[in-house]
mmCIF file with all atom_site columns, all heavy atoms in Angstrom:
data_model
loop_
_atom_site.group_PDB
_atom_site.id
_atom_site.type_symbol
_atom_site.label_atom_id
_atom_site.label_alt_id
_atom_site.label_comp_id
_atom_site.label_asym_id
_atom_site.label_entity_id
_atom_site.label_seq_id
_atom_site.pdbx_PDB_ins_code
_atom_site.Cartn_x
_atom_site.Cartn_y
_atom_site.Cartn_z
_atom_site.occupancy
_atom_site.B_iso_or_equiv
_atom_site.pdbx_formal_charge
_atom_site.auth_seq_id
_atom_site.auth_comp_id
_atom_site.auth_asym_id
_atom_site.auth_atom_id
_atom_site.pdbx_PDB_model_num
ATOM   1   N N   . PHE A 1 38  ? 106.031 79.950  78.828 1.00 98.00 ? 38  PHE A N   1
ATOM   2   C CA  . PHE A 1 38  ? 105.604 81.298  78.467 1.00 98.00 ? 38  PHE A CA  1
ATOM   3   C C   . PHE A 1 38  ? 106.652 81.797  77.477 1.00 98.00 ? 38  PHE A C   1
ATOM   4   O O   . PHE A 1 38  ? 107.834 81.847  77.787 1.00 98.00 ? 38  PHE A O   1
ATOM   5   C CB  . PHE A 1 38  ? 105.524 82.202  79.699 1.00 98.00 ? 38  PHE A CB  1
ATOM   6   C CG  . PHE A 1 38  ? 105.257 83.634  79.338 1.00 98.00 ? 38  PHE A CG  1
ATOM   7   C CD1 . PHE A 1 38  ? 104.063 83.984  78.712 1.00 98.00 ? 38  PHE A CD1 1
ATOM   8   C CD2 . PHE A 1 38  ? 106.193 84.625  79.594 1.00 98.00 ? 38  PHE A CD2 1
ATOM   9   C CE1 . PHE A 1 38  ? 103.824 85.299  78.332 1.00 98.00 ? 38  PHE A CE1 1
ATOM   10  C CE2 . PHE A 1 38  ? 105.956 85.947  79.227 1.00 98.00 ? 38  PHE A CE2 1
ATOM   11  C CZ  . PHE A 1 38  ? 104.772 86.277  78.586 1.00 98.00 ? 38  PHE A CZ  1
ATOM   12  N N   . PRO A 1 39  ? 106.211 82.116  76.226 1.00 98.00 ? 39  PRO A N   1
ATOM   13  C CA  . PRO A 1 39  ? 107.185 82.368  75.149 1.00 98.00 ? 39  PRO A CA  1
ATOM   14  C C   . PRO A 1 39  ? 107.236 83.802  74.618 1.00 98.00 ? 39  PRO A C   1
ATOM   15  O O   . PRO A 1 39  ? 106.883 84.049  73.472 1.00 98.00 ? 39  PRO A O   1
ATOM   16  C CB  . PRO A 1 39  ? 106.647 81.448  74.051 1.00 98.00 ? 39  PRO A CB  1
ATOM   17  C CG  . PRO A 1 39  ? 105.143 81.565  74.222 1.00 98.00 ? 39  PRO A CG  1
ATOM   18  C CD  . PRO A 1 39  ? 104.870 81.893  75.669 1.00 98.00 ? 39  PRO A CD  1
ATOM   19  N N   . PRO A 1 40  ? 107.648 84.762  75.423 1.00 98.00 ? 40  PRO A N   1
ATOM   20  C CA  . PRO A 1 40  ? 107.678 86.140  74.905 1.00 98.00 ? 40  PRO A CA  1
ATOM   21  C C   . PRO A 1 40  ? 108.788 86.359  73.891 1.00 98.00 ? 40  PRO A C   1
ATOM   22  O O   . PRO A 1 40  ? 109.859 85.769  74.000 1.00 98.00 ? 40  PRO A O   1
ATOM   23  C CB  . PRO A 1 40  ? 107.967 86.974  76.159 1.00 98.00 ? 40  PRO A CB  1
ATOM   24  C CG  . PRO A 1 40  ? 108.772 86.061  77.029 1.00 98.00 ? 40  PRO A CG  1
ATOM   25  C CD  . PRO A 1 40  ? 108.197 84.693  76.786 1.00 98.00 ? 40  PRO A CD  1
ATOM   26  N N   . GLU A 1 41  ? 108.515 87.230  72.936 1.00 97.00 ? 41  GLU A N   1
ATOM   27  C CA  . GLU A 1 41  ? 109.594 87.690  72.072 1.00 97.00 ? 41  GLU A CA  1
ATOM   28  C C   . GLU A 1 41  ? 110.241 88.874  72.792 1.00 97.00 ? 41  GLU A C   1
ATOM   29  O O   . GLU A 1 41  ? 109.542 89.816  73.187 1.00 97.00 ? 41  GLU A O   1
ATOM   30  C CB  . GLU A 1 41  ? 109.053 88.126  70.706 1.00 97.00 ? 41  GLU A CB  1
ATOM   31  C CG  . GLU A 1 41  ? 110.190 88.523  69.791 1.00 97.00 ? 41  GLU A CG  1
ATOM   32  C CD  . GLU A 1 41  ? 109.764 88.940  68.384 1.00 97.00 ? 41  GLU A CD  1
ATOM   33  O OE1 . GLU A 1 41  ? 108.566 88.869  68.063 1.00 97.00 ? 41  GLU A OE1 1
ATOM   34  O OE2 . GLU A 1 41  ? 110.661 89.348  67.621 1.00 97.00 ? 41  GLU A OE2 1
ATOM   35  N N   . ASN A 1 43  ? 111.212 91.731  72.397 1.00 96.00 ? 43  ASN A N   1
ATOM   36  C CA  . ASN A 1 43  ? 111.227 92.917  71.532 1.00 96.00 ? 43  ASN A CA  1
ATOM   37  C C   . ASN A 1 43  ? 110.444 94.054  72.157 1.00 96.00 ? 43  ASN A C   1
ATOM   38  O O   . ASN A 1 43  ? 110.019 94.984  71.488 1.00 96.00 ? 43  ASN A O   1
ATOM   39  C CB  . ASN A 1 43  ? 110.666 92.571  70.148 1.00 96.00 ? 43  ASN A CB  1
ATOM   40  C CG  . ASN A 1 43  ? 109.212 92.139  70.193 1.00 96.00 ? 43  ASN A CG  1
ATOM   41  O OD1 . ASN A 1 43  ? 108.677 91.891  71.277 1.00 96.00 ? 43  ASN A OD1 1
ATOM   42  N ND2 . ASN A 1 43  ? 108.563 92.039  69.047 1.00 96.00 ? 43  ASN A ND2 1
ATOM   43  N N   . HIS A 1 47  ? 103.192 93.583  78.888 1.00 98.00 ? 47  HIS A N   1
ATOM   44  C CA  . HIS A 1 47  ? 102.034 94.394  79.261 1.00 98.00 ? 47  HIS A CA  1
ATOM   45  C C   . HIS A 1 47  ? 100.997 93.537  79.978 1.00 98.00 ? 47  HIS A C   1
ATOM   46  O O   . HIS A 1 47  ? 101.195 92.333  80.150 1.00 98.00 ? 47  HIS A O   1
ATOM   47  C CB  . HIS A 1 47  ? 101.462 95.126  78.042 1.00 98.00 ? 47  HIS A CB  1
ATOM   48  C CG  . HIS A 1 47  ? 101.145 94.230  76.867 1.00 98.00 ? 47  HIS A CG  1
ATOM   49  N ND1 . HIS A 1 47  ? 100.247 93.181  76.938 1.00 98.00 ? 47  HIS A ND1 1
ATOM   50  C CD2 . HIS A 1 47  ? 101.617 94.231  75.593 1.00 98.00 ? 47  HIS A CD2 1
ATOM   51  C CE1 . HIS A 1 47  ? 100.159 92.598  75.756 1.00 98.00 ? 47  HIS A CE1 1
ATOM   52  N NE2 . HIS A 1 47  ? 100.998 93.204  74.918 1.00 98.00 ? 47  HIS A NE2 1
ATOM   53  N N   . GLY A 1 49  ? 98.302  92.361  79.053 1.00 98.00 ? 49  GLY A N   1
ATOM   54  C CA  . GLY A 1 49  ? 97.851  91.211  78.267 1.00 98.00 ? 49  GLY A CA  1
ATOM   55  C C   . GLY A 1 49  ? 98.763  90.015  78.471 1.00 98.00 ? 49  GLY A C   1
ATOM   56  O O   . GLY A 1 49  ? 98.297  88.874  78.606 1.00 98.00 ? 49  GLY A O   1
ATOM   57  N N   . HIS A 1 50  ? 100.071 90.276  78.512 1.00 98.00 ? 50  HIS A N   1
ATOM   58  C CA  . HIS A 1 50  ? 101.016 89.188  78.787 1.00 98.00 ? 50  HIS A CA  1
ATOM   59  C C   . HIS A 1 50  ? 100.760 88.599  80.174 1.00 98.00 ? 50  HIS A C   1
ATOM   60  O O   . HIS A 1 50  ? 100.930 87.397  80.374 1.00 98.00 ? 50  HIS A O   1
ATOM   61  C CB  . HIS A 1 50  ? 102.459 89.687  78.697 1.00 98.00 ? 50  HIS A CB  1
ATOM   62  C CG  . HIS A 1 50  ? 102.890 90.045  77.316 1.00 98.00 ? 50  HIS A CG  1
ATOM   63  N ND1 . HIS A 1 50  ? 103.206 91.328  76.947 1.00 98.00 ? 50  HIS A ND1 1
ATOM   64  C CD2 . HIS A 1 50  ? 103.044 89.283  76.193 1.00 98.00 ? 50  HIS A CD2 1
ATOM   65  C CE1 . HIS A 1 50  ? 103.538 91.342  75.662 1.00 98.00 ? 50  HIS A CE1 1
ATOM   66  N NE2 . HIS A 1 50  ? 103.439 90.124  75.181 1.00 98.00 ? 50  HIS A NE2 1
ATOM   67  N N   . LYS A 1 52  ? 98.022  88.117  81.527 1.00 98.00 ? 52  LYS A N   1
ATOM   68  C CA  . LYS A 1 52  ? 96.949  87.124  81.391 1.00 98.00 ? 52  LYS A CA  1
ATOM   69  C C   . LYS A 1 52  ? 97.529  85.787  80.918 1.00 98.00 ? 52  LYS A C   1
ATOM   70  O O   . LYS A 1 52  ? 97.164  84.728  81.428 1.00 98.00 ? 52  LYS A O   1
ATOM   71  C CB  . LYS A 1 52  ? 95.888  87.638  80.406 1.00 98.00 ? 52  LYS A CB  1
ATOM   72  C CG  . LYS A 1 52  ? 94.772  86.650  80.189 1.00 98.00 ? 52  LYS A CG  1
ATOM   73  C CD  . LYS A 1 52  ? 93.651  87.223  79.326 1.00 98.00 ? 52  LYS A CD  1
ATOM   74  C CE  . LYS A 1 52  ? 92.602  86.138  79.078 1.00 98.00 ? 52  LYS A CE  1
ATOM   75  N NZ  . LYS A 1 52  ? 91.472  86.615  78.281 1.00 98.00 ? 52  LYS A NZ  1
ATOM   76  N N   . ALA A 1 53  ? 98.441  85.843  79.938 1.00 98.00 ? 53  ALA A N   1
ATOM   77  C CA  . ALA A 1 53  ? 99.062  84.615  79.438 1.00 98.00 ? 53  ALA A CA  1
ATOM   78  C C   . ALA A 1 53  ? 99.959  83.987  80.508 1.00 98.00 ? 53  ALA A C   1
ATOM   79  O O   . ALA A 1 53  ? 99.980  82.765  80.687 1.00 98.00 ? 53  ALA A O   1
ATOM   80  C CB  . ALA A 1 53  ? 99.870  84.915  78.176 1.00 98.00 ? 53  ALA A CB  1
ATOM   81  N N   . ILE A 1 235 ? 100.081 76.846  75.219 1.00 98.00 ? 235 ILE A N   1
ATOM   82  C CA  . ILE A 1 235 ? 98.888  77.694  75.300 1.00 98.00 ? 235 ILE A CA  1
ATOM   83  C C   . ILE A 1 235 ? 99.212  79.080  74.748 1.00 98.00 ? 235 ILE A C   1
ATOM   84  O O   . ILE A 1 235 ? 100.225 79.675  75.093 1.00 98.00 ? 235 ILE A O   1
ATOM   85  C CB  . ILE A 1 235 ? 98.413  77.786  76.772 1.00 98.00 ? 235 ILE A CB  1
ATOM   86  C CG1 . ILE A 1 235 ? 98.256  76.366  77.347 1.00 98.00 ? 235 ILE A CG1 1
ATOM   87  C CG2 . ILE A 1 235 ? 97.096  78.555  76.856 1.00 98.00 ? 235 ILE A CG2 1
ATOM   88  C CD1 . ILE A 1 235 ? 98.126  76.332  78.852 1.00 98.00 ? 235 ILE A CD1 1
ATOM   89  N N   . CYS A 1 236 ? 98.341  79.554  73.869 1.00 98.00 ? 236 CYS A N   1
ATOM   90  C CA  . CYS A 1 236 ? 98.575  80.869  73.268 1.00 98.00 ? 236 CYS A CA  1
ATOM   91  C C   . CYS A 1 236 ? 97.238  81.544  72.991 1.00 98.00 ? 236 CYS A C   1
ATOM   92  O O   . CYS A 1 236 ? 96.201  81.087  73.475 1.00 98.00 ? 236 CYS A O   1
ATOM   93  C CB  . CYS A 1 236 ? 99.396  80.715  71.993 1.00 98.00 ? 236 CYS A CB  1
ATOM   94  S SG  . CYS A 1 236 ? 98.622  79.621  70.802 1.00 98.00 ? 236 CYS A SG  1
ATOM   95  N N   . THR A 1 237 ? 97.261  82.613  72.230 1.00 98.00 ? 237 THR A N   1
ATOM   96  C CA  . THR A 1 237 ? 96.039  83.381  72.011 1.00 98.00 ? 237 THR A CA  1
ATOM   97  C C   . THR A 1 237 ? 95.377  83.000  70.678 1.00 98.00 ? 237 THR A C   1
ATOM   98  O O   . THR A 1 237 ? 95.999  82.372  69.817 1.00 98.00 ? 237 THR A O   1
ATOM   99  C CB  . THR A 1 237 ? 96.348  84.895  72.088 1.00 98.00 ? 237 THR A CB  1
ATOM   100 O OG1 . THR A 1 237 ? 97.651  85.120  71.554 1.00 98.00 ? 237 THR A OG1 1
ATOM   101 C CG2 . THR A 1 237 ? 96.349  85.361  73.534 1.00 98.00 ? 237 THR A CG2 1
ATOM   102 N N   . GLU A 1 239 ? 94.618  84.163  67.855 1.00 97.00 ? 239 GLU A N   1
ATOM   103 C CA  . GLU A 1 239 ? 95.067  84.413  66.486 1.00 97.00 ? 239 GLU A CA  1
ATOM   104 C C   . GLU A 1 239 ? 95.933  83.262  65.968 1.00 97.00 ? 239 GLU A C   1
ATOM   105 O O   . GLU A 1 239 ? 96.209  83.173  64.773 1.00 97.00 ? 239 GLU A O   1
ATOM   106 C CB  . GLU A 1 239 ? 95.789  85.769  66.365 1.00 97.00 ? 239 GLU A CB  1
ATOM   107 C CG  . GLU A 1 239 ? 97.126  85.864  67.066 1.00 97.00 ? 239 GLU A CG  1
ATOM   108 C CD  . GLU A 1 239 ? 97.031  86.330  68.513 1.00 97.00 ? 239 GLU A CD  1
ATOM   109 O OE1 . GLU A 1 239 ? 95.978  86.149  69.144 1.00 97.00 ? 239 GLU A OE1 1
ATOM   110 O OE2 . GLU A 1 239 ? 98.046  86.884  69.026 1.00 97.00 ? 239 GLU A OE2 1
ATOM   111 N N   . PHE A 1 240 ? 96.348  82.374  66.871 1.00 98.00 ? 240 PHE A N   1
ATOM   112 C CA  . PHE A 1 240 ? 97.167  81.244  66.438 1.00 98.00 ? 240 PHE A CA  1
ATOM   113 C C   . PHE A 1 240 ? 96.356  80.006  66.074 1.00 98.00 ? 240 PHE A C   1
ATOM   114 O O   . PHE A 1 240 ? 96.926  78.985  65.683 1.00 98.00 ? 240 PHE A O   1
ATOM   115 C CB  . PHE A 1 240 ? 98.201  80.903  67.513 1.00 98.00 ? 240 PHE A CB  1
ATOM   116 C CG  . PHE A 1 240 ? 99.252  81.975  67.661 1.00 98.00 ? 240 PHE A CG  1
ATOM   117 C CD1 . PHE A 1 240 ? 99.210  82.871  68.720 1.00 98.00 ? 240 PHE A CD1 1
ATOM   118 C CD2 . PHE A 1 240 ? 100.260 82.107  66.717 1.00 98.00 ? 240 PHE A CD2 1
ATOM   119 C CE1 . PHE A 1 240 ? 100.155 83.880  68.833 1.00 98.00 ? 240 PHE A CE1 1
ATOM   120 C CE2 . PHE A 1 240 ? 101.213 83.111  66.824 1.00 98.00 ? 240 PHE A CE2 1
ATOM   121 C CZ  . PHE A 1 240 ? 101.159 83.999  67.892 1.00 98.00 ? 240 PHE A CZ  1
ATOM   122 N N   . PHE A 1 266 ? 93.326  80.785  73.811 1.00 98.00 ? 266 PHE A N   1
ATOM   123 C CA  . PHE A 1 266 ? 92.293  81.531  74.554 1.00 98.00 ? 266 PHE A CA  1
ATOM   124 C C   . PHE A 1 266 ? 92.244  82.968  74.029 1.00 98.00 ? 266 PHE A C   1
ATOM   125 O O   . PHE A 1 266 ? 93.124  83.389  73.263 1.00 98.00 ? 266 PHE A O   1
ATOM   126 C CB  . PHE A 1 266 ? 92.590  81.506  76.063 1.00 98.00 ? 266 PHE A CB  1
ATOM   127 C CG  . PHE A 1 266 ? 93.874  82.177  76.447 1.00 98.00 ? 266 PHE A CG  1
ATOM   128 C CD1 . PHE A 1 266 ? 93.936  83.554  76.611 1.00 98.00 ? 266 PHE A CD1 1
ATOM   129 C CD2 . PHE A 1 266 ? 95.038  81.434  76.636 1.00 98.00 ? 266 PHE A CD2 1
ATOM   130 C CE1 . PHE A 1 266 ? 95.132  84.188  76.954 1.00 98.00 ? 266 PHE A CE1 1
ATOM   131 C CE2 . PHE A 1 266 ? 96.236  82.065  76.980 1.00 98.00 ? 266 PHE A CE2 1
ATOM   132 C CZ  . PHE A 1 266 ? 96.276  83.443  77.140 1.00 98.00 ? 266 PHE A CZ  1
ATOM   133 N N   . ARG A 1 268 ? 92.646  86.841  73.712 1.00 97.00 ? 268 ARG A N   1
ATOM   134 C CA  . ARG A 1 268 ? 93.628  87.785  74.231 1.00 97.00 ? 268 ARG A CA  1
ATOM   135 C C   . ARG A 1 268 ? 92.934  88.914  74.974 1.00 97.00 ? 268 ARG A C   1
ATOM   136 O O   . ARG A 1 268 ? 91.743  89.165  74.800 1.00 97.00 ? 268 ARG A O   1
ATOM   137 C CB  . ARG A 1 268 ? 94.561  88.292  73.129 1.00 97.00 ? 268 ARG A CB  1
ATOM   138 C CG  . ARG A 1 268 ? 93.940  89.158  72.064 1.00 97.00 ? 268 ARG A CG  1
ATOM   139 C CD  . ARG A 1 268 ? 94.910  89.364  70.904 1.00 97.00 ? 268 ARG A CD  1
ATOM   140 N NE  . ARG A 1 268 ? 96.010  90.261  71.235 1.00 97.00 ? 268 ARG A NE  1
ATOM   141 C CZ  . ARG A 1 268 ? 97.305  89.938  71.067 1.00 97.00 ? 268 ARG A CZ  1
ATOM   142 N NH1 . ARG A 1 268 ? 97.650  88.771  70.594 1.00 97.00 ? 268 ARG A NH1 1
ATOM   143 N NH2 . ARG A 1 268 ? 98.229  90.798  71.361 1.00 97.00 ? 268 ARG A NH2 1
ATOM   144 N N   . LEU A 1 269 ? 93.667  89.581  75.818 1.00 98.00 ? 269 LEU A N   1
ATOM   145 C CA  . LEU A 1 269 ? 93.116  90.679  76.597 1.00 98.00 ? 269 LEU A CA  1
ATOM   146 C C   . LEU A 1 269 ? 93.244  91.995  75.829 1.00 98.00 ? 269 LEU A C   1
ATOM   147 O O   . LEU A 1 269 ? 94.333  92.352  75.384 1.00 98.00 ? 269 LEU A O   1
ATOM   148 C CB  . LEU A 1 269 ? 93.866  90.786  77.936 1.00 98.00 ? 269 LEU A CB  1
ATOM   149 C CG  . LEU A 1 269 ? 93.541  92.004  78.795 1.00 98.00 ? 269 LEU A CG  1
ATOM   150 C CD1 . LEU A 1 269 ? 92.069  92.027  79.189 1.00 98.00 ? 269 LEU A CD1 1
ATOM   151 C CD2 . LEU A 1 269 ? 94.418  92.016  80.042 1.00 98.00 ? 269 LEU A CD2 1
ATOM   152 N N   . MET A 1 276 ? 97.938  98.090  73.333 1.00 95.00 ? 276 MET A N   1
ATOM   153 C CA  . MET A 1 276 ? 98.817  97.065  73.878 1.00 95.00 ? 276 MET A CA  1
ATOM   154 C C   . MET A 1 276 ? 99.707  96.419  72.825 1.00 95.00 ? 276 MET A C   1
ATOM   155 O O   . MET A 1 276 ? 100.365 95.436  73.118 1.00 95.00 ? 276 MET A O   1
ATOM   156 C CB  . MET A 1 276 ? 97.999  96.019  74.611 1.00 95.00 ? 276 MET A CB  1
ATOM   157 C CG  . MET A 1 276 ? 97.550  96.541  75.957 1.00 95.00 ? 276 MET A CG  1
ATOM   158 S SD  . MET A 1 276 ? 97.202  95.264  77.121 1.00 95.00 ? 276 MET A SD  1
ATOM   159 C CE  . MET A 1 276 ? 95.580  94.809  76.619 1.00 95.00 ? 276 MET A CE  1
ATOM   160 N N   . SER A 1 277 ? 99.705  96.988  71.628 1.00 94.00 ? 277 SER A N   1
ATOM   161 C CA  . SER A 1 277 ? 100.616 96.419  70.646 1.00 94.00 ? 277 SER A CA  1
ATOM   162 C C   . SER A 1 277 ? 102.014 96.939  70.976 1.00 94.00 ? 277 SER A C   1
ATOM   163 O O   . SER A 1 277 ? 102.200 98.127  71.273 1.00 94.00 ? 277 SER A O   1
ATOM   164 C CB  . SER A 1 277 ? 100.179 96.830  69.242 1.00 94.00 ? 277 SER A CB  1
ATOM   165 O OG  . SER A 1 277 ? 101.247 97.400  68.541 1.00 94.00 ? 277 SER A OG  1
ATOM   166 N N   . LYS A 1 278 ? 103.000 96.031  70.923 1.00 94.00 ? 278 LYS A N   1
ATOM   167 C CA  . LYS A 1 278 ? 104.355 96.445  71.279 1.00 94.00 ? 278 LYS A CA  1
ATOM   168 C C   . LYS A 1 278 ? 104.864 97.510  70.307 1.00 94.00 ? 278 LYS A C   1
ATOM   169 O O   . LYS A 1 278 ? 105.608 98.401  70.685 1.00 94.00 ? 278 LYS A O   1
ATOM   170 C CB  . LYS A 1 278 ? 105.288 95.233  71.298 1.00 94.00 ? 278 LYS A CB  1
ATOM   171 C CG  . LYS A 1 278 ? 105.143 94.439  72.595 1.00 94.00 ? 278 LYS A CG  1
ATOM   172 C CD  . LYS A 1 278 ? 106.226 93.398  72.744 1.00 94.00 ? 278 LYS A CD  1
ATOM   173 C CE  . LYS A 1 278 ? 105.728 92.053  72.344 1.00 94.00 ? 278 LYS A CE  1
ATOM   174 N NZ  . LYS A 1 278 ? 106.643 90.950  72.669 1.00 94.00 ? 278 LYS A NZ  1
ATOM   175 N N   . ARG A 1 279 ? 104.432 97.385  69.054 1.00 94.00 ? 279 ARG A N   1
ATOM   176 C CA  . ARG A 1 279 ? 104.858 98.367  68.058 1.00 94.00 ? 279 ARG A CA  1
ATOM   177 C C   . ARG A 1 279 ? 104.371 99.765  68.454 1.00 94.00 ? 279 ARG A C   1
ATOM   178 O O   . ARG A 1 279 ? 105.126 100.736 68.425 1.00 94.00 ? 279 ARG A O   1
ATOM   179 C CB  . ARG A 1 279 ? 104.293 97.974  66.687 1.00 94.00 ? 279 ARG A CB  1
ATOM   180 C CG  . ARG A 1 279 ? 104.736 98.857  65.540 1.00 94.00 ? 279 ARG A CG  1
ATOM   181 C CD  . ARG A 1 279 ? 104.161 98.370  64.219 1.00 94.00 ? 279 ARG A CD  1
ATOM   182 N NE  . ARG A 1 279 ? 102.692 98.307  64.207 1.00 94.00 ? 279 ARG A NE  1
ATOM   183 C CZ  . ARG A 1 279 ? 101.892 99.375  64.061 1.00 94.00 ? 279 ARG A CZ  1
ATOM   184 N NH1 . ARG A 1 279 ? 102.418 100.573 63.897 1.00 94.00 ? 279 ARG A NH1 1
ATOM   185 N NH2 . ARG A 1 279 ? 100.578 99.229  64.064 1.00 94.00 ? 279 ARG A NH2 1
HETATM 186 P P1  . ATP B 2 .   ? 102.913 92.052  69.813 1.00 56.90 ? 1   ATP B P1  1
HETATM 187 O O1  . ATP B 2 .   ? 102.098 91.402  68.725 1.00 56.90 ? 1   ATP B O1  1
HETATM 188 O O2  . ATP B 2 .   ? 102.358 93.326  70.313 1.00 56.90 ? 1   ATP B O2  1
HETATM 189 O O3  . ATP B 2 .   ? 104.382 92.133  69.495 1.00 56.90 ? 1   ATP B O3  1
HETATM 190 P P2  . ATP B 2 .   ? 102.923 89.499  70.945 1.00 56.90 ? 1   ATP B P2  1
HETATM 191 O O4  . ATP B 2 .   ? 101.594 88.939  71.177 1.00 56.90 ? 1   ATP B O4  1
HETATM 192 O O5  . ATP B 2 .   ? 103.592 89.063  69.697 1.00 56.90 ? 1   ATP B O5  1
HETATM 193 O O6  . ATP B 2 .   ? 102.833 91.051  71.050 1.00 56.90 ? 1   ATP B O6  1
HETATM 194 P P3  . ATP B 2 .   ? 104.718 87.912  72.454 1.00 56.90 ? 1   ATP B P3  1
HETATM 195 O O7  . ATP B 2 .   ? 105.941 88.349  73.174 1.00 56.90 ? 1   ATP B O7  1
HETATM 196 O O8  . ATP B 2 .   ? 104.889 87.086  71.244 1.00 56.90 ? 1   ATP B O8  1
HETATM 197 O O9  . ATP B 2 .   ? 103.905 89.237  72.138 1.00 56.90 ? 1   ATP B O9  1
HETATM 198 O O10 . ATP B 2 .   ? 103.711 87.209  73.441 1.00 56.90 ? 1   ATP B O10 1
HETATM 199 C C1  . ATP B 2 .   ? 104.076 86.184  74.325 1.00 56.90 ? 1   ATP B C1  1
HETATM 200 C C2  . ATP B 2 .   ? 102.841 85.451  74.750 1.00 56.90 ? 1   ATP B C2  1
HETATM 201 O O11 . ATP B 2 .   ? 101.914 86.341  75.351 1.00 56.90 ? 1   ATP B O11 1
HETATM 202 C C3  . ATP B 2 .   ? 102.140 84.789  73.576 1.00 56.90 ? 1   ATP B C3  1
HETATM 203 O O12 . ATP B 2 .   ? 101.794 83.485  73.950 1.00 56.90 ? 1   ATP B O12 1
HETATM 204 C C4  . ATP B 2 .   ? 100.923 85.623  73.364 1.00 56.90 ? 1   ATP B C4  1
HETATM 205 O O13 . ATP B 2 .   ? 99.857  84.841  72.898 1.00 56.90 ? 1   ATP B O13 1
HETATM 206 C C5  . ATP B 2 .   ? 100.650 86.196  74.758 1.00 56.90 ? 1   ATP B C5  1
HETATM 207 N N1  . ATP B 2 .   ? 99.979  87.490  74.658 1.00 56.90 ? 1   ATP B N1  1
HETATM 208 C C6  . ATP B 2 .   ? 100.425 88.584  73.999 1.00 56.90 ? 1   ATP B C6  1
HETATM 209 N N2  . ATP B 2 .   ? 99.516  89.582  74.066 1.00 56.90 ? 1   ATP B N2  1
HETATM 210 C C7  . ATP B 2 .   ? 98.477  89.111  74.784 1.00 56.90 ? 1   ATP B C7  1
HETATM 211 C C8  . ATP B 2 .   ? 97.221  89.662  75.203 1.00 56.90 ? 1   ATP B C8  1
HETATM 212 N N3  . ATP B 2 .   ? 96.859  90.913  74.882 1.00 56.90 ? 1   ATP B N3  1
HETATM 213 N N4  . ATP B 2 .   ? 96.400  88.886  75.942 1.00 56.90 ? 1   ATP B N4  1
HETATM 214 C C9  . ATP B 2 .   ? 96.759  87.640  76.277 1.00 56.90 ? 1   ATP B C9  1
HETATM 215 N N5  . ATP B 2 .   ? 97.915  87.060  75.921 1.00 56.90 ? 1   ATP B N5  1
HETATM 216 C C10 . ATP B 2 .   ? 98.780  87.778  75.187 1.00 56.90 ? 1   ATP B C10 1
#
Side-chain angles (χ1 to χ4, degrees):
F38 173 63
E41 183 178 357
N43 63 348
H47 53 60
H50 291 114
K52 178 174 176 179
I235 308 166
C236 57
T237 35
E239 68 271 25
F240 292 103
F266 63 83
R268 67 191 287 127
L269 172 61
M276 284 204 279
S277 128
K278 280 191 261 190
R279 184 178 58 78

